[in-house]
Amino acid sequence: MKQAYLIIAHNNFEHLKCLLSTLDCKDVSFYINIDAKKEIPGFIRNFKSTNPMTILHERIINWGNQSQVLAEMDLFEKAFENSEIEWFHLVLWIGAICYCQKECLVTILDITKLI
């Protein structure tokens, strides 16, 4: 089951690093939209994910307004180009996912078995 994680990031890049490392596997693709007000962290440029990672960095994102919705739409548009993806996970705040690390991945996979 191919899955895509659509991530909007603007800070807490250490959490993003944790998330990518924890969830990376052959069935997962990452689509990351980094707020254009921020630099792309070096570890993202150098991260060797199992599948190609898509980075968007053109949009200034002001949280809680239209630009955030447009950033989400940008991610979905890119991810929908891959017809193999069956599940899409929109991640707006990565701290909670990294808090429980691999246990979250197990929970996500267990839930998808029930659906």
Side-chain angles (χ1 to χ4, degrees):
M1 173 177 51
K2 300 285 185 186
Q3 300 182 56
Y5 282 86
L6 291 69
I7 303 166
I8 296 179
H10 72 288
N11 64 8
N12 294 328
F13 291 115
E14 283 302 311
H15 290 176
L16 178 58
K17 185 177 183 179
C18 168
L19 178 68
L20 296 177
S21 298
T22 301
L23 297 177
D24 187 39
C25 67
K26 67 178 180 65
D27 291 327
V28 170
S29 296
F30 297 109
Y31 296 81
I32 304 171
N33 200 334
I34 297 176
D35 190 334
K37 294 180 295 220
K38 302 288 184 170
E39 299 259 342
I40 298 175
F43 78 85
I44 289 180
R45 287 186 239 265
N46 301 323
F47 186 79
K48 303 292 186 222
S49 60
T50 304
N51 293 306
M53 182 167 45
T54 301
I55 306 291
L56 304 177
H57 189 240
E58 300 95 33
R59 186 179 299 282
I60 292 176
I61 303 168
N62 295 306
W63 299 92
N65 76 12
Q66 181 182 7
S67 62
Q68 184 177 355
V69 174
L70 293 173
E72 294 168 10
M73 291 171 60
D74 293 342
L75 288 169
F76 277 106
E77 183 177 318
K78 277 293 186 189
F80 283 152
E81 290 175 6
N82 184 341
S83 61
E84 294 182 354
I85 297 174
E86 299 176 60
W87 287 85
F88 300 84
H89 309 279
L90 179 62
V91 180
L92 301 176
W93 184 68
I94 56 179
I97 291 175
C98 286
Y99 178 75
C100 55
Q101 294 192 15
K102 293 193 184 212
E103 290 82 6
C104 282
L105 178 58
V106 171
T107 301
I108 289 168
L109 293 176
D110 288 344
I111 289 171
T112 58
K113 289 177 190 173
L114 299 174
I115 297 175

